[in-house]
Amino acid sequence: MKNFFVSMFLWLPLLAISQNNIEGMVMEDNPENRRLGLAGANVYWLNSQTGTITKTDGSFVIPFKKENNQLVISYVGFESDTLFIDSPKTVNHWLKPSNALNEVVVQKKRDAVQKSYFSPQNVVTINSAELLKAACCNLSESFETNPAIDVNFSDALTGTKQIQMLGLTSPYLLITQENIPMVRGASQAYGLTFTPGTWVESIQITKGAGSVVNGYESISGQINTELVKPLTDKAVFVNGYANLNGRLELNTHLNKQLTDNWSTGLYLHGNRRDAKEDGNGDGFLDAPLGNQINVLNRWQYQNPSTGWVSFINLRFLNDEKQVGQTNFVPGTDKFTTNSWGGEINTRRFDTSLKLGYVFPELPFQSLGFQTAYNIHKQDSYFGFNEYNIDHESVYSNLLFNSIIGDTKSKFKTGLTFAYDGYGEMVNTQDYSRVDKSIGAFFEYSYDNLKELSLTAGIRVDNHNNLGTFVTPRLHLRYMPWDRGSFRGSFGRGKRAANIFAENQQLFASARQIRVLGDDSSIYGLDPEDAWNYGASFIQGFNLFGRTGNITLDYYVTNFKNQVVVDWENPLEVSFYNLEGKSLAKSFQFEINYEALKNLELRTAYKFYDVETDYISGALQKPLQAQHRFFANLGYMTVPKENGSQWRMDYTVHTLGRQRLPYIANSSMEYSPSYSLMNAQITKVFNNKFEIYLGGENLTNFMQDNPVVGADDPFGINFDTSIIYAPIMGRMFYTGFRYKL
């Protein structure tokens, strides 16, 4: 294997064939230093699906075609420019900040969801325009209008939404914030609710094996969130939200440019729910009572004269939830049989630093350093089950980028250090441990935009509990014809399963917990180890003068070892090492098309085959719909000179039947199929103010008896974890956004 990778790295650059390309850089128009590149700028041909995104140094390469002559360059916070190009050439272009340009430029509306034809990885980018299609109160609610991610309720108590991709739950995803691991360990169950939607600038969803640069834990994919930047965000932003189920929310952004180099932002979030909702009359709250205070202070530094860029984040969060029966009073009923209930109280502090340096004389070469520290403390109980966890984490990543010969062949290399200290108590049992790892990685990229691109990486990590192991990843992209792109990938992922933090919904039941392990240092269970491989194809098209694209992808995740969560027995939940096979197969067919002027249609069909060998035999994953259908219609009027317009969105999710684990006193083996419909309408009065009104679960479909044994919560059949559909009926909400 080693000789194969070495040979591949030596021979691939020789495969380059001559072609006509536009090469260049996109930079900030700053009189002090006009060589500071803008990373992530959009470069594309007007009225075509051909485009790319600038690298970390601002460089780009895009194929030249005679039928295209208007090259659009855009970047958030800067005015878009359109260049007229009639022949292959080198293009170095400077963008001016949006408040510094008064001339009119030719522009094209940026797609709310962007799919790259040129990236070797299967990446979908969701920008802020897409996030506005729903209330999007937090990150877990940001995927309702995108078929790449499935969103389900995790239990009948907490109202927490769990995300899935490729048929696997979020622990198998690497969830990062600006490429720093964020939702993991103790925060796995509720961490997505700790990032308010208004803080999010864009989300990148990568299917399949991710990059070795971001670590070894990714198995089914990666979700990376980019936060709004103090320099480019509005000086003042206020968002208010309220729904008929008693949830109130307020978000405030305050940004200030302090000097030519320093900008800062203060982001405040608060939400509260005091109303007790019990729409199905089972005596249990349909949604928890609670409140959250979330404060983020963000500092941005740019020095164009030296090439240094940095971000510093400081965040504090306090989140409190009360669940259980409507008459439960913590002060008098906690740990008694007066009434069943629980509380989940979380306090969290985060700080992170990102530092980047672009060599002024070598814009294709850069050095980056990331480091983060957080401490997460959760105290909780569910009836008589008590669960407390403290998680202290340190993460550092040093990264160097450069080229081999020319900009077609690039590489990244670096070192990673991670520390995780867990203080974990389940009732009276202590499961505390320390994880430490250090790793090195190398990633080679060959980029021939016209036909072939490749990213091949390998990393070696030494972990005190997982041992020393190698994680290879490979991504290929081939374009045989115009706007047609084939991709293939494979890679390995490895992780330590935090079995209690990831499955907290099982504490809210009468099940006995059994851990069937040996003397291993992590719950007595072996680490999870899996290979993911798959292929995808995207084809752009023009129909009746309007653009669209068709996407097909197929992925398989093959577990060499998995910590099986077995709750087929209604009286217990067992955790044990896989003996046999566990495969997750995922197929998706998607169409995106502008059906009418300003009317966009997105529709998808998904099929999952997720089967695991349990002690009782091979079974399909419970509470997993094998067939899913998705459709989204989005319409907006042409904005007037002052920005006034209407925006309307409608989304439908149809889920096929789901296999149910055994339910006491029930003969149901499968759930019924059902559809969910959401809609929202937004009135933009001007560039500063807008209001929105929406509804969720408009068909009012609800699961019957979501709390098993609700009439006897201290009995042996009590269970709140078997959830296949919404437990709340039709819900309406309203809100406003103010920008200055």
Side-chain angles (χ1 to χ4, degrees):
M1 179 63 73
K2 178 180 178 181
N3 292 334
F4 169 76
F5 277 108
V6 172
S7 300
M8 180 176 62
F9 291 153
L10 290 175
W11 284 103
L12 274 174
L14 301 179
L15 298 177
I17 58 175
S18 64
Q19 58 175 319
N20 294 327
N21 290 332
I22 304 295
E23 300 188 23
M25 288 188 65
V26 178
M27 294 161 282
E28 179 182 354
D29 190 1
N30 190 304
E32 295 184 12
N33 187 342
R34 289 165 57 84
R35 291 178 297 189
L36 184 62
L38 292 174
N42 295 289
V43 181
Y44 56 90
W45 293 107
L46 187 67
N47 297 322
S48 85
Q49 296 293 323
T50 303
T52 187
I53 296 175
T54 58
K55 307 296 184 183
T56 56
D57 58 359
S59 65
F60 70 90
V61 181
I62 189 170
F64 173 77
K65 298 178 181 179
K66 293 182 179 180
E67 61 269 25
N68 298 322
N69 61 5
Q70 297 183 59
L71 187 69
V72 181
I73 301 176
S74 66
Y75 188 74
V76 176
F78 291 76
E79 291 292 344
S80 301
D81 284 351
T82 301
L83 311 179
F84 291 89
I85 308 293
D86 57 8
S87 62
K89 62 178 69 173
T90 299
V91 175
N92 293 324
H93 190 72
W94 289 263
L95 289 180
K96 295 184 178 181
S98 57
N99 60 358
L101 186 67
N102 295 319
E103 64 189 61
V104 177
V105 296
V106 180
Q107 298 187 53
K108 176 181 182 293
K109 179 177 67 69
R110 184 185 182 191
D111 292 337
V113 176
Q114 297 174 306
K115 295 185 175 184
S116 172
Y117 289 81
F118 300 100
S119 170
Q121 297 188 38
N122 188 359
V123 180
V124 177
T125 300
I126 301 173
N127 65 33
S128 56
E130 179 72 9
L131 298 177
L132 296 179
K133 290 185 175 183
C136 193
C137 295
N138 58 60
L139 190 57
S140 71
E141 299 165 321
S142 300
F143 305 101
E144 299 281 2
T145 61
N146 190 280
I149 300 293
D150 301 319
V151 183
N152 304 304
F153 285 101
S154 64
D155 56 75
L157 294 178
T158 65
T160 303
K161 293 184 178 180
Q162 182 185 70
I163 64 171
Q164 299 183 7
M165 188 162 74
L166 306 186
L168 296 171
T169 54
S170 58
Y172 297 108
L173 289 165
L174 177 62
I175 302 177
T176 60
Q177 182 176 290
E178 299 185 330
N179 287 312
I180 295 176
M182 182 56 61
V183 180
R184 56 186 299 275
S187 65
Q188 191 63 250
Y190 310 114
L192 289 173
T193 68
F194 298 159
T195 300
T198 65
W199 293 6
V200 178
E201 181 181 76
S202 65
I203 302 172
Q204 295 81 46
I205 302 171
T206 303
K207 286 188 175 182
S211 169
V212 295
V213 175
N214 297 313
Y216 55 82
E217 293 182 320
S218 170
I219 290 179
S220 62
Q222 178 177 346
I223 296 176
N224 180 60
T225 303
E226 289 291 326
L227 303 183
V228 293
K229 311 296 190 291
L231 182 63
T232 54
D233 192 23
K234 299 294 183 182
V236 177
F237 174 82
V238 181
N239 166 236
Y241 168 92
N243 69 30
L244 293 183
N245 289 340
R247 179 174 173 179
L248 302 173
E249 181 170 316
L250 182 66
N251 297 281
T252 303
H253 302 188
L254 303 171
N255 295 285
K256 177 71 174 177
Q257 185 168 351
L258 303 175
T259 68
D260 292 339
N261 303 128
W262 283 98
S263 301
T264 187
L266 181 64
Y267 308 96
L268 308 174
H269 166 87
N271 70 67
R272 188 172 186 86
R273 188 198 301 270
D274 292 323
K276 294 185 176 182
E277 288 288 324
D278 182 18
N280 54 18
D282 62 1
F284 280 77
L285 295 170
D286 294 339
L289 306 179
N291 63 81
Q292 181 185 120
I293 299 296
N294 206 338
V295 180
L296 170 67
N297 184 208
R298 190 158 160 82
W299 295 79
Q300 181 176 357
Y301 175 82
Q302 290 189 165
N303 192 329
S305 62
T306 61
W308 288 98
V309 178
S310 69
F311 289 92
I312 302 172
N313 290 345
L314 299 164
R315 184 179 71 148
F316 172 77
L317 171 137
N318 186 77
D319 184 78
E320 299 175 348
K321 297 183 179 72
Q322 179 185 321
V323 301
Q325 292 183 293
T326 55
N327 60 353
F328 176 76
V329 178
T332 57
D333 299 334
K334 180 179 179 180
F335 298 144
T336 73
T337 58
N338 296 340
S339 182
W340 193 100
E343 293 179 284
I344 308 166
N345 298 325
T346 304
R347 293 174 300 283
R348 183 180 175 95
F349 172 75
D350 298 290
T351 182
S352 64
L353 167 68
K354 294 184 66 176
L355 189 63
Y357 175 71
V358 178
F359 291 78
E361 302 302 326
L362 301 171
F364 51 79
Q365 188 166 285
S366 63
L367 185 67
F369 176 70
Q370 302 169 315
T371 187
Y373 170 81
N374 67 68
I375 184 165
H376 180 110
K377 183 177 179 62
Q378 176 186 321
D379 299 318
S380 56
Y381 63 93
F382 307 83
F384 287 113
N385 283 325
E386 192 170 7
Y387 179 67
N388 300 317
I389 182 169
D390 297 344
H391 180 189
E392 184 178 26
S393 175
V394 178
Y395 172 85
S396 295
N397 199 29
L398 180 65
L399 178 67
F400 177 72
N401 295 269
S402 193
I403 65 173
I404 302 175
D406 58 33
T407 55
K408 292 180 183 177
S409 296
K410 301 181 179 180
F411 72 89
K412 300 177 182 178
T413 189
L415 299 170
T416 304
F417 170 78
Y419 168 90
D420 293 287
Y422 295 94
E424 188 174 30
M425 294 288 295
V426 178
N427 296 319
T428 59
Q429 184 69 41
D430 189 349
Y431 290 97
S432 300
R433 76 176 196 272
V434 171
D435 290 350
K436 294 181 290 186
S437 68
I438 186 168
F441 57 87
F442 181 85
E443 185 174 82
Y444 169 80
S445 298
Y446 172 74
D447 200 352
N448 178 342
L449 280 174
K450 187 174 182 180
E451 292 182 351
L452 177 70
S453 66
L454 171 149
T455 299
I458 191 166
R459 65 177 295 134
V460 179
D461 290 272
N462 178 264
H463 192 288
N464 65 314
N465 290 319
L466 307 186
T468 300
F469 53 94
V470 178
T471 311
R473 307 272 173 85
L474 176 66
H475 301 267
L476 289 165
R477 188 270 305 163
Y478 176 67
M479 293 187 68
W481 52 72
D482 184 40
R483 293 189 291 172
S485 183
F486 287 94
R487 292 185 180 91
S489 69
F490 78 86
R492 182 191 189 194
K494 197 166 183 174
R495 64 182 295 271
N498 292 285
I499 58 175
F500 300 120
E502 295 165 7
N503 298 280
Q504 294 187 41
Q505 73 275 15
L506 297 174
F507 289 125
S509 71
R511 297 173 183 270
Q512 297 298 308
I513 298 173
R514 300 175 65 212
V515 181
L516 308 180
D518 48 31
D519 295 328
S520 175
S521 57
I522 304 179
Y523 308 108
L525 301 168
D526 296 334
E528 296 192 296
D529 190 353
W531 287 83
N532 180 283
Y533 46 90
S536 66
F537 173 70
I538 180 172
Q539 177 65 59
F541 63 86
N542 282 53
L543 182 64
F544 305 121
R546 306 191 189 282
T547 61
N549 60 69
I550 297 175
T551 305
L552 297 95
D553 60 50
Y554 179 74
Y555 287 89
V556 177
T557 305
N558 185 1
F559 285 92
K560 300 305 178 184
N561 185 62
Q562 185 179 24
V563 175
V564 178
V565 184
D566 185 346
W567 40 307
E568 298 301 320
N569 184 334
L571 301 180
E572 65 182 36
V573 55
S574 299
F575 301 93
Y576 51 82
N577 291 318
L578 175 69
E579 293 289 343
K581 296 181 180 180
S582 182
L583 289 171
K585 303 174 184 178
S586 167
F587 170 77
Q588 179 169 323
F589 174 71
E590 180 180 350
I591 298 177
N592 296 287
Y593 180 58
E594 187 182 12
L596 299 171
K597 184 178 181 180
N598 296 327
L599 178 66
E600 295 182 351
L601 169 66
R602 186 181 310 134
T603 183
Y605 165 75
K606 290 181 284 188
F607 173 77
Y608 297 121
D609 181 10
V610 185
E611 185 174 288
T612 300
D613 285 341
Y614 294 87
I615 291 177
S616 56
L619 295 170
Q620 283 287 323
K621 179 182 176 182
L623 304 180
Q624 170 73 67
Q626 284 195 292
H627 302 276
R628 286 177 175 259
F629 175 78
F630 166 91
N632 174 263
L633 277 173
Y635 176 76
M636 63 176 63
T637 61
V638 178
K640 297 181 180 179
E641 186 175 347
N642 66 347
S644 172
Q645 67 172 166
W646 288 90
R647 297 196 299 262
M648 289 160 276
D649 287 279
Y650 169 80
T651 304
V652 59
H653 296 267
T654 298
L655 283 74
R657 68 176 193 170
Q658 304 170 49
R659 187 184 74 82
L660 302 176
Y662 178 78
I663 304 175
N665 303 319
S666 172
S667 60
M668 286 184 63
E669 295 184 11
Y670 291 90
S671 71
S673 301
Y674 64 90
S675 294
L676 298 177
M677 299 180 188
N678 303 332
Q680 179 178 284
I681 183 169
T682 302
K683 169 58 178 175
V684 182
F685 292 94
N686 50 51
N687 292 322
K688 296 182 179 180
F689 184 72
E690 61 190 65
I691 60 173
Y692 55 90
L693 175 69
E696 297 180 359
N697 192 12
L698 297 177
T699 56
N700 204 38
F701 182 86
M702 292 184 290
Q703 177 176 334
D704 293 331
N705 304 316
V707 178
V708 179
D711 57 341
D712 184 15
F714 297 98
I716 62 172
N717 295 323
F718 178 69
D719 199 340
T720 68
S721 61
I722 304 177
I723 299 300
Y724 58 82
I727 63 173
M728 291 181 287
R730 190 180 295 114
M731 187 273 290
F732 294 99
Y733 62 84
T734 186
F736 71 91
R737 302 182 184 98
Y738 174 76
K739 296 167 279 188
L740 182 62

